[in-house]
Amino acid sequence: MKRFAICTVLFPLLLALGALCMSELTHVKKDVLSSVDELYQAVESGDTAQAGELAEEFQQHWENTEHHIMAFVRHGE
């Protein structure tokens, strides 16, 4: 009976944790894609000053969010 009670507590917690992780990953993905799209538009328009500034912002943003994505991406040596 104790095992059943433990399972009924752990299963919803695991589901909630999985949903939270997927939500965070989706949020990070949208942020990264919008940053890349903004950078692409600046490059296409020929505004090199803005493109350089956006590239620096993107690099800083990537360094801050890389650990969120790497937990879910397969990677090797």
Side-chain angles (χ1 to χ4, degrees), residues 1-59:
M1 187 67 175
K2 289 181 182 180
R3 289 181 189 160
F4 180 73
I6 291 171
C7 288
T8 57
V9 170
L10 286 180
F11 187 68
L13 287 174
L14 287 174
L15 287 177
L17 182 62
L20 180 67
C21 289
M22 288 305 296
S23 172
E24 180 68 25
L25 182 63
T26 302
H27 178 71
V28 168
K29 180 187 85 166
K30 285 181 183 180
D31 285 348
V32 168
L33 288 177
S34 68
S35 296
V36 168
D37 187 43
E38 192 176 343
L39 179 60
Y40 176 75
Q41 289 176 1
V43 168
E44 284 293 313
S45 68
D47 190 358
T48 57
Q50 183 184 12
E53 184 179 307
L54 289 172
E56 289 177 15
E57 288 177 15
F58 178 75
Q59 181 181 3

Side-chain angles (χ1 to χ4, degrees), residues 54-70:
L54 289 172
E56 289 177 15
E57 288 177 15
F58 178 75
Q59 181 181 3
Q60 186 68 25
H61 181 70
W62 177 256
E63 289 173 0
N64 292 336
T65 58
E66 180 182 17
H67 64 277
H68 291 291
I69 296 173
M70 288 302 134

